Amino acid sequence: MNRLRQWWRRHSLGLLLSALAMGAALGLRQTQGSLLVELYSWITAPARPPVDPAVVLSQAANRELQALVAELQYQNRELKRLLQFTEQMPQAGIPAAVVGRSADHWWQQLTLSRGSRHGVRVGDVVMAPGGLIGRVESVTPNTSRVLLISDPTSRVGVMLSRSRHMGILRGTGTQSAILDFFDKAPKVEVGDVVVTSGLSSFYPAGVVVGTVRAVNLDASPAPQATVELSAPLGLLEWALIYRYAQPSDS
């Protein structure tokens, strides 16, 4: 009995402190620290200036206005770029906003805010600042769905602007595409500009597509080049739709 009392005298304080610490930790976990937050708020309350709800609401409104102005400035710059691009084209296009993208095919399809009511037809060519982006594959009265040239099923007849060597451009689901040459020994260099060729049945000739970023002359069954698409497909907010008279239309 005496030993138990002596042990208790030596260890009682440590046991009590441990129990208090465990209880405090359990309490903090259960309340997620709300007691400490309330205690801190109560202690520091006298040092904090009083909050004026009108001032807080005014500051929030100012922040919203500044954000709105920044967004309008950005949209204004984009529309100016689109206007400059339109002025360079031989025919007038139909401007359309990007209003949707396929969630599981971000690079492959997008939806524009113009449809058959605005003169859009299946097969129309779609471009944006930077060059070609795709063609209309379906329309509704007020929208049109575009198959992008980045789609792995997309095939575009192209050629090198410098050497005029031709091939087929196929999408990879990214901002890069693969150019398969017809010629076994094409004259191609990094930096060459790629445009649509006259052999394409879906696109007019001479439309800028991208730039050669890598070359593989040993690829089988034909030499290849990696092409960086010039239009930023993942960032587009506006596009231009152009009527293209395909052979079946004549």
Side-chain angles (χ1 to χ4, degrees), residues 130-132 158-167 169 179 181 187-197 206-215 225-230:
L132 181 69
V158 297
M159 66 179 178
L160 301 178
S161 181
R162 179 181 59 87
S163 66
R164 317 309 283 180
H165 282 279
M166 297 184 181
L169 187 82
L179 169 54
F181 288 100
K187 294 181 180 179
V188 53
E189 298 176 358
V190 172
D192 280 347
V193 175
V194 179
V195 299
T196 53
S197 71
V207 179
V208 175
V209 175
T211 306
V212 173
R213 292 304 180 207
V215 177
T226 300
V227 177
E228 181 180 352
L229 303 176
S230 53

Side-chain angles (χ1 to χ4, degrees), residues 213-227:
R213 292 304 180 207
V215 177
N216 182 5
L217 297 179
D218 297 324
S220 179
Q224 294 180 344
T226 300
V227 177

Side-chain angles (χ1 to χ4, degrees), residues 232-248:
L233 302 182
L235 302 175
L236 293 178
E237 296 183 8
W238 293 89
L240 288 167
I241 305 171
Y242 289 90
R243 175 63 50 82
Y244 176 50
Q246 302 178 40
S248 59

Side-chain angles (χ1 to χ4, degrees), residues 48-60:
R48 292 198 306 268
V51 176
D52 186 346
V55 173
V56 174
L57 292 175
S58 177
Q59 292 174 343

